[in-house]
Amino acid sequence: MIDRIRGKLLSVEPDRVVLECGPIDVEVAIPACDVAALQTEVGANLSLHTVFQIDSPVNGTVATPKLIGFVEASTRSFYRALVGVKGMGGRKALRALAQPTQEIAAAILGNDIKALTTLPEVGKKTAETIARELQDIAPSFAGTAPVARTIVEPQPSSPWIDHAVLILVELGLKPTDARERVQREAANNPSEDAQDLVRAVLANTNTNTNT
């Protein structure tokens, strides 16, 4: 898996950049939220956090491999979580990242369906699904972004539990499933180490699979 790509930034378009990586010029897809920052870096050497995916065929087209780059690792993590939302997928998730992830996460945390529907590819039903499925991980991405407090406060948690959930989401678990498993392990093993909780979840997962 390609985790990061480094090179000289040759050009920036609304949905892609071209990096000069040695003798090869590489086209990398980007989310709209990163365009402004990258436009100021044309001609400079930089690195992008990456995800490699294969877009499903659409309207008779063939499956297309795509390398996606993100300025911040946190944006990549949020993208991976968004891909896992029912009805999204890679293509829609990338287009939906038209605003900073902090603002999107704040809208999720505040259950601001109207704000979420302003994102490309996101209708009301999809916005409601995003708000419901990503509610647990939204605090980790919202940071200091203002939140419209129109809902019940999220469940109390702890930094090590939140960190363990994010690790499991990166490994492919659904956010709600990851949260439930981590909280169950935390109740049985009151560790304040996220890695310990992740190992416990994975060990139990493997045990259940083998039985």
Side-chain angles (χ1 to χ4, degrees), residues 166-185:
L166 286 178
I167 292 173
L168 290 169
V169 170
E170 287 273 341
L171 293 175
L173 270 67
K174 299 283 187 180
T176 51
D177 185 28
R179 174 74 59 178
E180 290 174 1
R181 296 191 189 197
V182 169
Q183 289 180 331
R184 184 163 56 245
E185 293 301 331

Side-chain angles (χ1 to χ4, degrees), residues 49 63 94:
H49 304 273
L94 186 62

